Amino acid sequence: MLKGLKKFVVRMMAGANIVTIIMMFLAGQAGHLSPAEHPMLTNAGLVFPVFLLINMAFLIFWLLFYWKGALLAIAGYLICYSSLRVYFPLNRMEAPPEDAIKVMTYNVCRYGKGMIERDGANPILEYIKQSGAAIVCLQEANSGLISQEDARKELSSVYAYSDTAVLKHSSNTLAIYSKYPIVGKQRIDYDSKWNLSAAFQLLIDGDTVLVVNNHLETNKMFETEQERFKKMLKGEENRKEAVSTSRLLIDRLAEAAVIRQPEARAVAAYLRMHEGVPAIVCGDFNDNPLSFARRTIADGLTDCYVATGLGPGWSYNKSNMYVRIDNLMCTSHWQPYRCTVDRKIKASDHYPMYCWLKKRPKH
């Protein structure tokens, strides 16, 4: 009887594990769906880590009670390897060579919405000055208590060159600070009320390099709605409230994904038009690592975090929404090293991401 019961439990658990693997695989492939055609399903990548953890629980169960079953959970990870590699890269953090340049992307949220230290210094500006980065791309660099002009003056002691791209009717600002000459810029054309992308031309060691800075469509959740989501995660909402909050979140995410689709395609098209030109692409994509937006822009590029980062690399730090929505990518002209999300500074609702890039020799 016990043998029969064990056999029944093994079969039930194996069936549940197979279902988990199927769901994990489908969630990992959600970025291949068109948001316009599948607005709800395209955000399924957000639940990929849930199935990742459930499969881990199955692996532990099999190792403890029926070791042969562990092969099933391991097979699940192998089947989903491409998605797992993007979401949770595991790389040796190799030290960059001395001649590599450090590049940083950082959504500064209006320079910390006016966070000022007691001595009058802004922590974000101080962080940037001490970062050692040769190129710094900022998003939401709008004037708050600190004006864009004051920020430029403060950073001019380190960065001889700077420029901005501004969406006039919303004042949303992209900024770039560089130790290399900025010789041109161009807005990437797409229709948006609040967001923008811009390509800055830098002269680096005699070569013209495109640095494409992006701030794609936000998820349209107001602070009150973010607080509702935070309460739901903490279990502070009743069932009816939790269902309502979940539906609101799904609607908001779907709506934003649809708007991001043409934005991502416009950036990808711009890069194809300049194929062969050394390029660095970065910014706040406002979407998860398995999303349509990240996949579309990353096509043909090296995702520096995927190639050289370690762990999930959560770059958003507000409302218990743990996800990597900031990105740093490059063309094959560059060899990336040690891409990192720096969680030591919390002056913005994003953490900065930086990486070292070394120019590959010309053939």
Side-chain angles (χ1 to χ4, degrees), residues 177-188:
Y177 291 89
S178 172
K179 295 182 179 180
Y180 301 99
I182 301 171
V183 295
K185 70 176 175 180
Q186 183 180 8
R187 278 278 305 278
I188 296 176

Side-chain angles (χ1 to χ4, degrees), residues 8-25:
F8 173 77
V9 171
V10 166
R11 286 181 175 178
M12 289 290 292
M13 294 297 287
N17 199 169
I18 290 171
V19 171
T20 297
I21 292 169
I22 293 172
M23 297 302 292
M24 182 167 61
F25 176 80

Side-chain angles (χ1 to χ4, degrees), residues 96 99 111 119 251 267 323 335-336:
D99 56 347
Y111 297 101
D119 61 0
D251 288 343
V267 174
V323 64
Q335 173 66 48

Side-chain angles (χ1 to χ4, degrees), residues 59-267:
L59 178 59
I60 295 171
F61 169 83
W62 292 127
L63 290 174
L64 291 175
F65 298 102
Y66 187 71
W67 69 267
K68 291 182 180 179
L71 297 175
L72 179 59
I74 293 172
Y77 286 131
L78 294 176
I79 291 169
C80 299
Y81 176 76
S82 61
S83 302
L84 179 60
R85 170 76 176 153
V86 170
Y87 196 92
F88 201 108
L90 296 173
N91 299 291
R92 185 166 63 90
M93 299 297 278
E94 186 177 355
E98 290 185 4
D99 56 347
I101 63 173
K102 186 177 181 181
V103 180
M104 182 166 68
T105 180
Y106 191 5
N107 182 322
V108 294
C109 192
R110 290 175 285 165
Y111 297 101
K113 296 183 179 179
M115 284 185 61
I116 306 295
E117 299 285 4
R118 290 182 180 178
D119 61 0
N122 180 280
I124 288 177
L125 296 181
E126 290 300 309
Y127 176 87
I128 293 172
K129 285 195 294 184
Q130 297 173 21
S131 68
I135 302 170
V136 179
C137 290
L138 306 180
Q139 304 85 43
E140 292 191 39
N142 313 27
S143 296
L145 291 182
I146 293 178
S147 69
Q148 183 58 237
E149 182 62 21
D150 287 341
R152 187 191 64 78
K153 289 179 179 178
E154 183 70 21
L155 295 174
S156 63
S157 61
V158 178
Y159 299 98
Y161 308 96
S162 64
D163 205 346
T164 59
V166 183
L167 199 60
K168 292 183 179 179
H169 58 270
S170 72
S171 74
N172 195 5
T173 302
L174 299 175
I176 183 170
Y177 291 89
S178 172
K179 295 182 179 180
Y180 301 99
I182 301 171
V183 295
K185 70 176 175 180
Q186 183 180 8
R187 278 278 305 278
I188 296 176
D189 186 35
Y190 55 74
D191 185 29
S192 176
K193 293 181 179 180
W194 309 107
N195 306 283
L196 71 163
S197 299
F200 299 88
Q201 295 175 314
L202 273 62
L203 196 61
I204 301 178
D205 299 331
D207 292 328
T208 299
V209 175
L210 284 177
V211 179
V212 181
N213 193 0
N214 302 275
H215 186 270
L216 304 186
E217 187 68 23
T218 63
N219 287 316
K220 296 183 174 295
M221 290 187 69
F222 300 107
E223 288 192 14
T224 54
E225 295 169 342
Q226 291 179 5
E227 285 302 314
R228 284 178 59 183
F229 178 69
K230 188 174 181 179
K231 287 181 179 179
M232 183 187 72
L233 292 179
K234 290 182 176 181
E236 297 176 357
E237 289 189 334
N238 59 43
R239 184 177 179 181
K240 184 178 180 180
E241 291 172 336
V243 170
S244 175
T245 300
S246 298
R247 288 176 177 171
L248 174 65
L249 176 64
I250 292 171
D251 288 343
R252 288 284 191 265
L253 292 174
E255 182 182 356
V258 171
I259 299 174
R260 271 192 299 270
Q261 180 172 347
E263 297 175 356
R265 282 178 169 168
V267 174

